[in-house]
Amino acid sequence: MDYDLVVIGCGAGGLASAVAFAEEAGRDARIAVLERATREGRGGATRWTSSWFRITSDRQLDPAFVETMERVSKGQADLEYCRTLAAEVPATFDFLDRHKVPWVYFEQPFANRNTGGGLAMPVPGGVAIVDTLAAVIDGLPNAAIHYETEATSLATDAAGRVTGVHVRGPDGERLLSARAVVIACGGFEGAGDMLVEHLGPRGNEMPVIAPTLVNNRGDGIRLTRPLGGDVAGQFDMFHGEPVDTRSTKADAVIYGYPFGILVNRHCQRFFDEGQDSFDATFERLGYEIWANQEQQAWFIGEKAILDWPHVADIMLTDQPPVEAETIEGLAEKFGLDPQALAKTVAEYNAAIQPGETDRRIRDGKCTAGINPPKSNWATPVRQGPFIGYPLTTAITFTFGGIRSDAKARVLREDGTAIPGLFAAGEVTGLYYGEYPAGTSVLRALTFGRIAAREAAAKH
Ligand SMILES: Cc1cc2nc3c(=O)[nH]c(=O)nc-3n(C[C@H](O)[C@H](O)[C@H](O)COP(=O)(O)OP(=O)(O)OC[C@H]3O[C@@H](n4cnc5c(N)ncnc54)[C@H](O)[C@@H]3O)c2cc1C
């Protein structure tokens, strides 16, 4: 036997399972972490995420999480998995602390959907998880990250137990035999063929929100299908975000859209920009732009909003806004119809109801008599100079994946667990309908730990 554990993937899920396995099975455990990318490009989605954690100030998962998952998934999500996540999140923060992954909790300066009004994140983002946990692996005597090495298939014995991973790497093709295997190789956002299969013919029109997502090619499904592996999560839904079309920066999201208006190429508003806090609507907006607005939209607002506390900080693009003294001038710069945009802006301004704007709460300052309405933060777009950002939707991750249970075991279609095989993170299907933001990295870390515990118990 070459290894006690082989982990496929070097993001939050894979690294957490490898490090936690060494905690469980001992520092001498023989562990291989497979990473399709180079060392410089390692870390998958985790490397690029801000990695907001949906927790309260006392490091509990949002207490409304399980109920939210039941509601948004219309009962389809695995609630035992969700309850396990909620119960295990505090221990995940203990794990991060033990391994000196820096993270902070901070009060959110905007209305948000997380009970308690705060959020946490690693510092400076998910890259801290990747670099810190990878350094732990590098410091272990019998563990290593194998770069530019991809899993191509799983090996099994006659009884159907997983006994290793066939890999392709710098030394060619070989079999790494293992007592247990953890799959943590992300979703299928980097697999054009699967995006078309599941999202439809326009499925591969979206850019990926960060460069190394191209390595997440649905291999979890391709690896487990020959073993009778089941799937879970909504395959025709994904998490996408409205990014600045001009930017090549990862995660160039324009979160400040509730403080102006959004129009399509006909200069029509198409979305209630203030229906809820941006953390609760950015996915819906991303889907709408991709599905129904020809993948293009424009944010229009007064330049003065950039002086409101923290608003400039949530325009994550590296490009300055397009600016003009008049709405017509802004429209011309975007190639939009100046009269049509001026008419939409005037109708919006005329529909604004009295009241104070307060970015920290759902302030109820709304419009009346226009469709779609704006339900909160309906401040005028009246006083130049004006700014705008061109938007498109970038894909962040897919919802569909392999089916796993609350013990991180990979399940077959008949509901039985595949012996010796575990999974963590985005590769496992969970979400239906909507993704409650700030839970994807947390579940990758948490089920990485659980996978390690279960794999070590069988060790
Ligand atoms: C820009 C951005 C912002 C985000 N914001 C947030 C946020 O604020 N909060 C949050 O919770 N989530 C956020 N997410 C989502 C979150 O980052 C991911 O869902 C999470 O990091 C997934 O972790 P993972 O370990 O499952 O997969 P990944 O981190 O993607 O790791 C997958 C790994 O598998 C490797 N791999 C793939 N196939 C193979 C193979 N066949 N063989 C070997 N290796 C393979 C990849 O190279 C990669 O190393 C964001 C994502 C992005 C990109």
Side-chain angles (χ1 to χ4, degrees), residues 258-313:
F259 307 118
I261 61 168
L262 295 162
V263 296
N264 60 19
R265 78 181 176 87
H266 308 293
C267 298
Q268 290 162 346
R269 288 182 57 252
F270 59 90
F271 192 79
D272 179 349
E273 305 88 345
Q275 60 191 278
D276 205 338
S277 53
F278 64 79
D279 66 319
T281 61
F282 69 131
E283 175 178 284
R284 215 172 301 154
L285 173 60
Y287 188 84
E288 172 65 24
I289 292 173
W290 170 74
N292 300 319
Q293 306 300 334
E294 304 169 60
Q295 256 293 57
Q296 44 185 354
W298 287 262
F299 170 81
I300 309 289
E302 292 187 358
K303 189 180 181 190
I305 64 163
L306 296 179
D307 297 327
W308 295 7
H310 307 289
V311 170
D313 301 343

Short mmCIF file of all heavy atoms in Angstrom, two decimals, residues 258-313:
data_model
loop_
_atom_site.label_atom_id
_atom_site.label_comp_id
_atom_site.label_asym_id
_atom_site.label_seq_id
_atom_site.Cartn_x
_atom_site.Cartn_y
_atom_site.Cartn_z
N PRO A 258 -27.40 47.97 -5.24
CA PRO A 258 -28.62 48.48 -4.61
C PRO A 258 -28.65 50.01 -4.49
O PRO A 258 -29.71 50.57 -4.20
CB PRO A 258 -28.59 47.84 -3.21
CG PRO A 258 -27.76 46.62 -3.35
CD PRO A 258 -26.69 47.03 -4.35
N PHE A 259 -27.54 50.66 -4.75
CA PHE A 259 -27.49 52.11 -4.54
C PHE A 259 -27.61 52.91 -5.84
O PHE A 259 -27.25 54.09 -5.90
CB PHE A 259 -26.22 52.46 -3.76
CG PHE A 259 -26.11 51.63 -2.50
CD1 PHE A 259 -25.06 50.76 -2.30
CD2 PHE A 259 -27.13 51.68 -1.55
CE1 PHE A 259 -25.01 49.96 -1.16
CE2 PHE A 259 -27.09 50.89 -0.41
CZ PHE A 259 -26.02 50.03 -0.22
N GLY A 260 -28.09 52.25 -6.89
CA GLY A 260 -28.39 52.91 -8.16
C GLY A 260 -29.44 52.08 -8.85
O GLY A 260 -30.26 51.44 -8.19
N ILE A 261 -29.40 52.08 -10.18
CA ILE A 261 -30.33 51.22 -10.92
C ILE A 261 -29.57 50.33 -11.90
O ILE A 261 -28.41 50.61 -12.24
CB ILE A 261 -31.40 52.03 -11.68
CG1 ILE A 261 -30.76 52.95 -12.73
CG2 ILE A 261 -32.28 52.82 -10.71
CD1 ILE A 261 -31.75 53.55 -13.71
N LEU A 262 -30.24 49.28 -12.35
CA LEU A 262 -29.69 48.36 -13.34
C LEU A 262 -30.56 48.43 -14.58
O LEU A 262 -31.79 48.40 -14.47
CB LEU A 262 -29.69 46.93 -12.81
CG LEU A 262 -28.79 46.66 -11.61
CD1 LEU A 262 -29.21 45.38 -10.90
CD2 LEU A 262 -27.33 46.57 -12.06
N VAL A 263 -29.93 48.51 -15.75
CA VAL A 263 -30.72 48.47 -16.99
C VAL A 263 -30.13 47.44 -17.93
O VAL A 263 -28.96 47.07 -17.83
CB VAL A 263 -30.73 49.85 -17.70
CG1 VAL A 263 -31.43 50.90 -16.84
CG2 VAL A 263 -29.33 50.29 -18.10
N ASN A 264 -30.99 46.98 -18.87
CA ASN A 264 -30.52 46.06 -19.91
C ASN A 264 -30.16 46.87 -21.17
O ASN A 264 -30.16 48.10 -21.15
CB ASN A 264 -31.57 44.98 -20.19
CG ASN A 264 -32.89 45.58 -20.67
OD1 ASN A 264 -32.93 46.73 -21.14
ND2 ASN A 264 -33.96 44.81 -20.55
N ARG A 265 -29.90 46.18 -22.27
CA ARG A 265 -29.40 46.93 -23.44
C ARG A 265 -30.50 47.77 -24.10
O ARG A 265 -30.23 48.60 -24.95
CB ARG A 265 -28.71 46.00 -24.42
CG ARG A 265 -29.58 45.17 -25.30
CD ARG A 265 -28.73 44.30 -26.19
NE ARG A 265 -29.57 43.43 -26.97
CZ ARG A 265 -30.09 43.78 -28.14
NH1 ARG A 265 -29.81 44.96 -28.67
NH2 ARG A 265 -30.87 42.94 -28.78
N HIS A 266 -31.75 47.53 -23.68
CA HIS A 266 -32.84 48.39 -24.16
C HIS A 266 -33.08 49.54 -23.19
O HIS A 266 -34.09 50.25 -23.29
CB HIS A 266 -34.12 47.56 -24.31
CG HIS A 266 -33.91 46.33 -25.13
ND1 HIS A 266 -33.64 46.39 -26.48
CD2 HIS A 266 -33.90 45.01 -24.79
CE1 HIS A 266 -33.47 45.16 -26.94
NE2 HIS A 266 -33.62 44.30 -25.94
N CYS A 267 -32.17 49.70 -22.24
CA CYS A 267 -32.25 50.76 -21.22
C CYS A 267 -33.45 50.59 -20.29
O CYS A 267 -33.93 51.55 -19.70
CB CYS A 267 -32.28 52.15 -21.86
SG CYS A 267 -30.80 52.51 -22.78
N GLN A 268 -33.92 49.36 -20.19
CA GLN A 268 -35.05 49.10 -19.28
C GLN A 268 -34.55 48.48 -17.99
O GLN A 268 -33.65 47.63 -18.01
CB GLN A 268 -36.04 48.12 -19.94
CG GLN A 268 -36.78 48.75 -21.10
CD GLN A 268 -37.41 47.69 -21.99
OE1 GLN A 268 -37.09 46.50 -21.90
NE2 GLN A 268 -38.30 48.14 -22.85
N ARG A 269 -35.15 48.91 -16.89
CA ARG A 269 -34.87 48.21 -15.63
C ARG A 269 -35.51 46.83 -15.71
O ARG A 269 -36.57 46.66 -16.31
CB ARG A 269 -35.42 49.00 -14.44
CG ARG A 269 -34.62 50.27 -14.14
CD ARG A 269 -35.13 51.03 -12.94
NE ARG A 269 -35.16 50.22 -11.74
CZ ARG A 269 -36.28 49.75 -11.15
NH1 ARG A 269 -37.47 50.05 -11.65
NH2 ARG A 269 -36.20 49.01 -10.09
N PHE A 270 -34.87 45.84 -15.11
CA PHE A 270 -35.37 44.46 -15.20
C PHE A 270 -35.33 43.74 -13.87
O PHE A 270 -35.68 42.56 -13.78
CB PHE A 270 -34.54 43.67 -16.23
CG PHE A 270 -33.06 43.62 -15.89
CD1 PHE A 270 -32.55 42.61 -15.11
CD2 PHE A 270 -32.21 44.63 -16.32
CE1 PHE A 270 -31.20 42.56 -14.76
CE2 PHE A 270 -30.86 44.60 -15.98
CZ PHE A 270 -30.35 43.58 -15.21
N PHE A 271 -34.89 44.43 -12.80
CA PHE A 271 -34.60 43.75 -11.53
C PHE A 271 -34.86 44.73 -10.40
O PHE A 271 -34.47 45.89 -10.50
CB PHE A 271 -33.13 43.34 -11.55
CG PHE A 271 -32.71 42.38 -10.46
CD1 PHE A 271 -32.98 41.03 -10.55
CD2 PHE A 271 -32.01 42.85 -9.35
CE1 PHE A 271 -32.57 40.14 -9.56
CE2 PHE A 271 -31.59 41.97 -8.35
CZ PHE A 271 -31.87 40.61 -8.46
N ASP A 272 -35.49 44.28 -9.35
CA ASP A 272 -35.66 45.12 -8.15
C ASP A 272 -34.30 45.16 -7.43
O ASP A 272 -33.95 44.23 -6.69
CB ASP A 272 -36.75 44.53 -7.26
CG ASP A 272 -36.96 45.33 -5.98
OD1 ASP A 272 -36.13 46.21 -5.68
OD2 ASP A 272 -37.95 45.04 -5.27
N GLU A 273 -33.57 46.24 -7.64
CA GLU A 273 -32.20 46.31 -7.12
C GLU A 273 -32.16 46.31 -5.60
O GLU A 273 -31.14 46.00 -4.98
CB GLU A 273 -31.50 47.59 -7.61
CG GLU A 273 -31.47 47.78 -9.12
CD GLU A 273 -32.71 48.51 -9.66
OE1 GLU A 273 -33.72 48.63 -8.93
OE2 GLU A 273 -32.65 48.96 -10.82
N GLY A 274 -33.30 46.70 -5.00
CA GLY A 274 -33.34 46.81 -3.54
C GLY A 274 -34.25 45.78 -2.90
O GLY A 274 -34.71 45.97 -1.77
N GLN A 275 -34.49 44.67 -3.59
CA GLN A 275 -35.43 43.68 -3.02
C GLN A 275 -34.91 43.10 -1.71
O GLN A 275 -35.69 42.68 -0.86
CB GLN A 275 -35.74 42.57 -4.01
CG GLN A 275 -34.54 41.77 -4.47
CD GLN A 275 -34.88 40.86 -5.65
OE1 GLN A 275 -35.40 39.78 -5.44
NE2 GLN A 275 -34.60 41.29 -6.86
N ASP A 276 -33.60 43.08 -1.56
CA ASP A 276 -33.00 42.59 -0.30
C ASP A 276 -31.54 43.02 -0.31
O ASP A 276 -31.07 43.66 -1.26
CB ASP A 276 -33.14 41.05 -0.24
CG ASP A 276 -33.13 40.54 1.20
OD1 ASP A 276 -32.62 41.26 2.08
OD2 ASP A 276 -33.62 39.42 1.43
N SER A 277 -30.83 42.65 0.75
CA SER A 277 -29.41 43.01 0.81
C SER A 277 -28.66 42.30 -0.31
O SER A 277 -29.08 41.24 -0.78
CB SER A 277 -28.83 42.63 2.17
OG SER A 277 -29.11 41.26 2.45
N PHE A 278 -27.53 42.88 -0.73
CA PHE A 278 -26.86 42.34 -1.91
C PHE A 278 -26.40 40.90 -1.71
O PHE A 278 -26.34 40.13 -2.65
CB PHE A 278 -25.73 43.25 -2.40
CG PHE A 278 -24.57 43.42 -1.44
CD1 PHE A 278 -23.60 42.45 -1.31
CD2 PHE A 278 -24.44 44.59 -0.69
CE1 PHE A 278 -22.53 42.62 -0.44
CE2 PHE A 278 -23.37 44.77 0.17
CZ PHE A 278 -22.42 43.78 0.31
N ASP A 279 -26.09 40.51 -0.47
CA ASP A 279 -25.64 39.13 -0.25
C ASP A 279 -26.78 38.13 -0.46
O ASP A 279 -26.53 36.94 -0.62
CB ASP A 279 -25.02 38.97 1.14
CG ASP A 279 -26.04 39.15 2.27
OD1 ASP A 279 -26.88 40.06 2.16
OD2 ASP A 279 -26.00 38.38 3.24
N ALA A 280 -28.01 38.65 -0.45
CA ALA A 280 -29.16 37.77 -0.66
C ALA A 280 -29.66 37.81 -2.10
O ALA A 280 -30.51 37.00 -2.48
CB ALA A 280 -30.30 38.15 0.29
N THR A 281 -29.17 38.76 -2.92
CA THR A 281 -29.73 38.89 -4.27
C THR A 281 -28.69 38.77 -5.39
O THR A 281 -29.06 38.69 -6.55
CB THR A 281 -30.45 40.24 -4.44
OG1 THR A 281 -29.53 41.31 -4.23
CG2 THR A 281 -31.62 40.38 -3.47
N PHE A 282 -27.41 38.78 -5.06
CA PHE A 282 -26.42 38.84 -6.15
C PHE A 282 -26.45 37.59 -7.03
O PHE A 282 -26.20 37.67 -8.23
CB PHE A 282 -25.00 39.15 -5.64
CG PHE A 282 -24.33 38.08 -4.81
CD1 PHE A 282 -23.03 37.69 -5.11
CD2 PHE A 282 -24.94 37.50 -3.73
CE1 PHE A 282 -22.36 36.74 -4.35
CE2 PHE A 282 -24.29 36.53 -2.96
CZ PHE A 282 -23.00 36.15 -3.29
N GLU A 283 -26.80 36.45 -6.43
CA GLU A 283 -26.90 35.23 -7.25
C GLU A 283 -28.10 35.32 -8.21
O GLU A 283 -27.99 35.00 -9.39
CB GLU A 283 -27.05 34.03 -6.34
CG GLU A 283 -27.28 32.74 -7.08
CD GLU A 283 -27.36 31.58 -6.12
OE1 GLU A 283 -26.30 31.15 -5.64
OE2 GLU A 283 -28.48 31.09 -5.84
N ARG A 284 -29.23 35.78 -7.67
CA ARG A 284 -30.44 35.93 -8.49
C ARG A 284 -30.19 36.90 -9.63
O ARG A 284 -30.60 36.69 -10.76
CB ARG A 284 -31.57 36.45 -7.59
CG ARG A 284 -32.94 35.93 -7.90
CD ARG A 284 -33.93 36.36 -6.83
NE ARG A 284 -33.59 35.90 -5.49
CZ ARG A 284 -33.97 36.51 -4.36
NH1 ARG A 284 -34.71 37.60 -4.40
NH2 ARG A 284 -33.64 36.02 -3.19
N LEU A 285 -29.49 37.99 -9.31
CA LEU A 285 -29.16 38.98 -10.35
C LEU A 285 -28.25 38.35 -11.41
O LEU A 285 -28.47 38.52 -12.61
CB LEU A 285 -28.49 40.20 -9.72
CG LEU A 285 -27.94 41.23 -10.71
CD1 LEU A 285 -29.04 41.79 -11.60
CD2 LEU A 285 -27.23 42.37 -9.96
N GLY A 286 -27.24 37.62 -10.94
CA GLY A 286 -26.33 36.98 -11.90
C GLY A 286 -27.09 36.04 -12.82
O GLY A 286 -26.89 36.04 -14.04
N TYR A 287 -27.99 35.26 -12.25
CA TYR A 287 -28.75 34.31 -13.07
C TYR A 287 -29.62 35.06 -14.07
O TYR A 287 -29.70 34.70 -15.25
CB TYR A 287 -29.62 33.42 -12.17
CG TYR A 287 -30.29 32.32 -12.94
CD1 TYR A 287 -29.61 31.13 -13.20
CD2 TYR A 287 -31.58 32.47 -13.44
CE1 TYR A 287 -30.20 30.12 -13.94
CE2 TYR A 287 -32.18 31.46 -14.19
CZ TYR A 287 -31.48 30.29 -14.42
OH TYR A 287 -32.07 29.30 -15.17
N GLU A 288 -30.26 36.13 -13.61
CA GLU A 288 -31.15 36.91 -14.48
C GLU A 288 -30.39 37.52 -15.67
O GLU A 288 -30.87 37.48 -16.80
CB GLU A 288 -31.82 38.02 -13.64
CG GLU A 288 -32.64 39.03 -14.42
CD GLU A 288 -33.87 38.45 -15.11
OE1 GLU A 288 -34.37 37.40 -14.67
OE2 GLU A 288 -34.31 39.06 -16.12
N ILE A 289 -29.23 38.07 -15.41
CA ILE A 289 -28.44 38.69 -16.50
C ILE A 289 -28.07 37.62 -17.53
O ILE A 289 -28.18 37.84 -18.74
CB ILE A 289 -27.18 39.38 -15.93
CG1 ILE A 289 -27.57 40.60 -15.09
CG2 ILE A 289 -26.24 39.80 -17.06
CD1 ILE A 289 -26.40 41.26 -14.35
N TRP A 290 -27.66 36.45 -17.03
CA TRP A 290 -27.27 35.37 -17.96
C TRP A 290 -28.49 34.80 -18.68
O TRP A 290 -28.49 34.65 -19.91
CB TRP A 290 -26.54 34.25 -17.20
CG TRP A 290 -26.34 33.04 -18.05
CD1 TRP A 290 -25.43 32.90 -19.07
CD2 TRP A 290 -27.07 31.81 -18.00
NE1 TRP A 290 -25.55 31.66 -19.64
CE2 TRP A 290 -26.55 30.96 -18.99
CE3 TRP A 290 -28.10 31.34 -17.18
CZ2 TRP A 290 -27.03 29.69 -19.21
CZ3 TRP A 290 -28.59 30.07 -17.39
CH2 TRP A 290 -28.06 29.25 -18.41
N ALA A 291 -29.53 34.50 -17.94
CA ALA A 291 -30.66 33.75 -18.51
C ALA A 291 -31.55 34.62 -19.39
O ALA A 291 -32.02 34.17 -20.44
CB ALA A 291 -31.49 33.13 -17.39
N ASN A 292 -31.77 35.88 -18.98
CA ASN A 292 -32.82 36.66 -19.65
C ASN A 292 -32.39 38.00 -20.21
O ASN A 292 -33.20 38.70 -20.81
CB ASN A 292 -33.98 36.90 -18.66
CG ASN A 292 -34.58 35.59 -18.18
OD1 ASN A 292 -34.75 34.66 -18.96
ND2 ASN A 292 -34.88 35.51 -16.89
N GLN A 293 -31.15 38.41 -19.98
CA GLN A 293 -30.73 39.75 -20.42
C GLN A 293 -29.53 39.68 -21.35
O GLN A 293 -28.72 40.62 -21.40
CB GLN A 293 -30.42 40.65 -19.20
CG GLN A 293 -31.56 40.74 -18.19
CD GLN A 293 -32.85 41.30 -18.76
OE1 GLN A 293 -32.85 42.05 -19.74
NE2 GLN A 293 -33.98 40.93 -18.15
N GLU A 294 -29.41 38.59 -22.08
CA GLU A 294 -28.35 38.44 -23.09
C GLU A 294 -26.96 38.65 -22.50
O GLU A 294 -26.06 39.14 -23.16
CB GLU A 294 -28.59 39.39 -24.26
CG GLU A 294 -29.95 39.20 -24.92
CD GLU A 294 -30.29 40.30 -25.89
OE1 GLU A 294 -29.53 40.47 -26.86
OE2 GLU A 294 -31.29 40.99 -25.66
N GLN A 295 -26.82 38.33 -21.24
CA GLN A 295 -25.51 38.36 -20.57
C GLN A 295 -24.94 39.78 -20.47
O GLN A 295 -23.72 39.95 -20.40
CB GLN A 295 -24.49 37.47 -21.30
CG GLN A 295 -24.20 36.14 -20.62
CD GLN A 295 -23.47 36.29 -19.30
OE1 GLN A 295 -23.94 36.95 -18.39
NE2 GLN A 295 -22.33 35.65 -19.17
N GLN A 296 -25.79 40.81 -20.53
CA GLN A 296 -25.26 42.15 -20.36
C GLN A 296 -26.25 43.06 -19.63
O GLN A 296 -27.45 42.96 -19.81
CB GLN A 296 -24.83 42.78 -21.69
CG GLN A 296 -25.80 42.57 -22.82
CD GLN A 296 -25.26 43.12 -24.14
OE1 GLN A 296 -24.20 43.75 -24.17
NE2 GLN A 296 -25.99 42.91 -25.20
N ALA A 297 -25.68 43.88 -18.78
CA ALA A 297 -26.48 44.85 -18.02
C ALA A 297 -25.56 46.00 -17.64
O ALA A 297 -24.33 45.90 -17.79
CB ALA A 297 -27.06 44.19 -16.77
N TRP A 298 -26.17 47.09 -17.20
CA TRP A 298 -25.38 48.26 -16.81
C TRP A 298 -25.89 48.77 -15.47
O TRP A 298 -27.11 48.89 -15.27
CB TRP A 298 -25.50 49.37 -17.86
CG TRP A 298 -24.76 49.05 -19.12
CD1 TRP A 298 -23.52 49.48 -19.47
CD2 TRP A 298 -25.22 48.22 -20.21
NE1 TRP A 298 -23.15 48.95 -20.70
CE2 TRP A 298 -24.18 48.18 -21.17
CE3 TRP A 298 -26.38 47.49 -20.47
CZ2 TRP A 298 -24.29 47.46 -22.36
CZ3 TRP A 298 -26.48 46.77 -21.64
CH2 TRP A 298 -25.45 46.76 -22.57
N PHE A 299 -24.96 49.09 -14.60
CA PHE A 299 -25.29 49.78 -13.36
C PHE A 299 -25.16 51.28 -13.63
O PHE A 299 -24.17 51.74 -14.22
CB PHE A 299 -24.32 49.38 -12.24
CG PHE A 299 -24.47 50.25 -11.03
CD1 PHE A 299 -25.48 50.00 -10.12
CD2 PHE A 299 -23.62 51.33 -10.80
CE1 PHE A 299 -25.66 50.82 -9.00
CE2 PHE A 299 -23.78 52.15 -9.69
CZ PHE A 299 -24.81 51.90 -8.80
N ILE A 300 -26.14 52.05 -13.18
CA ILE A 300 -26.15 53.51 -13.36
C ILE A 300 -26.43 54.15 -12.00
O ILE A 300 -27.38 53.75 -11.30
CB ILE A 300 -27.28 53.94 -14.34
CG1 ILE A 300 -27.23 53.14 -15.65
CG2 ILE A 300 -27.26 55.45 -14.57
CD1 ILE A 300 -26.09 53.45 -16.57
N GLY A 301 -25.63 55.14 -11.63
CA GLY A 301 -25.88 55.81 -10.35
C GLY A 301 -25.23 57.18 -10.32
O GLY A 301 -24.54 57.59 -11.25
N GLU A 302 -25.48 57.87 -9.22
CA GLU A 302 -24.77 59.14 -9.01
C GLU A 302 -23.35 58.85 -8.54
O GLU A 302 -23.14 57.94 -7.73
CB GLU A 302 -25.51 59.98 -7.95
CG GLU A 302 -26.86 60.47 -8.42
CD GLU A 302 -27.50 61.43 -7.41
OE1 GLU A 302 -26.89 61.68 -6.34
OE2 GLU A 302 -28.61 61.92 -7.71
N LYS A 303 -22.42 59.69 -8.97
CA LYS A 303 -21.04 59.49 -8.53
C LYS A 303 -20.93 59.65 -7.00
O LYS A 303 -20.07 59.05 -6.35
CB LYS A 303 -20.11 60.49 -9.23
CG LYS A 303 -18.65 60.19 -8.97
CD LYS A 303 -17.72 61.17 -9.66
CE LYS A 303 -16.26 60.78 -9.37
NZ LYS A 303 -15.34 61.83 -9.81
N ALA A 304 -21.83 60.45 -6.45
CA ALA A 304 -21.78 60.74 -5.01
C ALA A 304 -21.88 59.47 -4.15
O ALA A 304 -21.39 59.45 -3.01
CB ALA A 304 -22.91 61.70 -4.64
N ILE A 305 -22.48 58.40 -4.68
CA ILE A 305 -22.61 57.18 -3.85
C ILE A 305 -21.25 56.61 -3.48
O ILE A 305 -21.12 55.91 -2.47
CB ILE A 305 -23.48 56.07 -4.52
CG1 ILE A 305 -22.82 55.57 -5.80
CG2 ILE A 305 -24.91 56.53 -4.71
CD1 ILE A 305 -23.38 54.24 -6.28
N LEU A 306 -20.25 56.90 -4.31
CA LEU A 306 -18.92 56.37 -4.00
C LEU A 306 -18.32 57.01 -2.75
O LEU A 306 -17.36 56.50 -2.18
CB LEU A 306 -17.97 56.55 -5.19
CG LEU A 306 -18.36 55.78 -6.46
CD1 LEU A 306 -17.36 56.06 -7.58
CD2 LEU A 306 -18.46 54.27 -6.18
N ASP A 307 -18.91 58.15 -2.35
CA ASP A 307 -18.44 58.80 -1.11
C ASP A 307 -19.21 58.30 0.12
O ASP A 307 -18.85 58.65 1.24
CB ASP A 307 -18.60 60.32 -1.22
CG ASP A 307 -17.73 60.87 -2.33
OD1 ASP A 307 -16.65 60.30 -2.56
OD2 ASP A 307 -18.15 61.84 -2.99
N TRP A 308 -20.27 57.54 -0.09
CA TRP A 308 -20.97 56.97 1.07
C TRP A 308 -20.01 55.98 1.75
O TRP A 308 -19.24 55.29 1.07
CB TRP A 308 -22.22 56.20 0.64
CG TRP A 308 -23.31 57.02 0.03
CD1 TRP A 308 -23.26 58.34 -0.32
CD2 TRP A 308 -24.61 56.55 -0.35
NE1 TRP A 308 -24.45 58.73 -0.88
CE2 TRP A 308 -25.30 57.64 -0.90
CE3 TRP A 308 -25.24 55.32 -0.27
CZ2 TRP A 308 -26.59 57.53 -1.38
CZ3 TRP A 308 -26.54 55.20 -0.74
CH2 TRP A 308 -27.20 56.30 -1.28
N PRO A 309 -20.09 55.88 3.06
CA PRO A 309 -19.16 54.97 3.74
C PRO A 309 -19.21 53.56 3.16
O PRO A 309 -20.29 52.99 3.00
CB PRO A 309 -19.65 54.99 5.19
CG PRO A 309 -20.40 56.27 5.33
CD PRO A 309 -20.99 56.56 3.99
N HIS A 310 -18.05 53.05 2.79
CA HIS A 310 -17.84 51.65 2.38
C HIS A 310 -18.37 51.29 0.99
O HIS A 310 -18.11 50.18 0.52
CB HIS A 310 -18.44 50.67 3.40
CG HIS A 310 -17.98 50.90 4.80
ND1 HIS A 310 -16.70 50.63 5.22
CD2 HIS A 310 -18.63 51.44 5.88
CE1 HIS A 310 -16.58 50.95 6.49
NE2 HIS A 310 -17.72 51.46 6.92
N VAL A 311 -19.10 52.18 0.32
CA VAL A 311 -19.68 51.77 -0.96
C VAL A 311 -18.58 51.54 -2.01
O VAL A 311 -18.61 50.53 -2.74
CB VAL A 311 -20.73 52.80 -1.46
CG1 VAL A 311 -21.15 52.49 -2.89
CG2 VAL A 311 -21.95 52.76 -0.54
N ALA A 312 -17.58 52.40 -2.06
CA ALA A 312 -16.50 52.19 -3.04
C ALA A 312 -15.80 50.85 -2.79
O ALA A 312 -15.32 50.20 -3.74
CB ALA A 312 -15.50 53.35 -2.96
N ASP A 313 -15.77 50.41 -1.53
CA ASP A 313 -15.07 49.15 -1.18
C ASP A 313 -15.77 47.92 -1.74
O ASP A 313 -15.15 46.85 -1.81
CB ASP A 313 -15.01 48.97 0.35
CG ASP A 313 -14.29 50.11 1.04
OD1 ASP A 313 -13.57 50.85 0.35
OD2 ASP A 313 -14.47 50.25 2.26
#
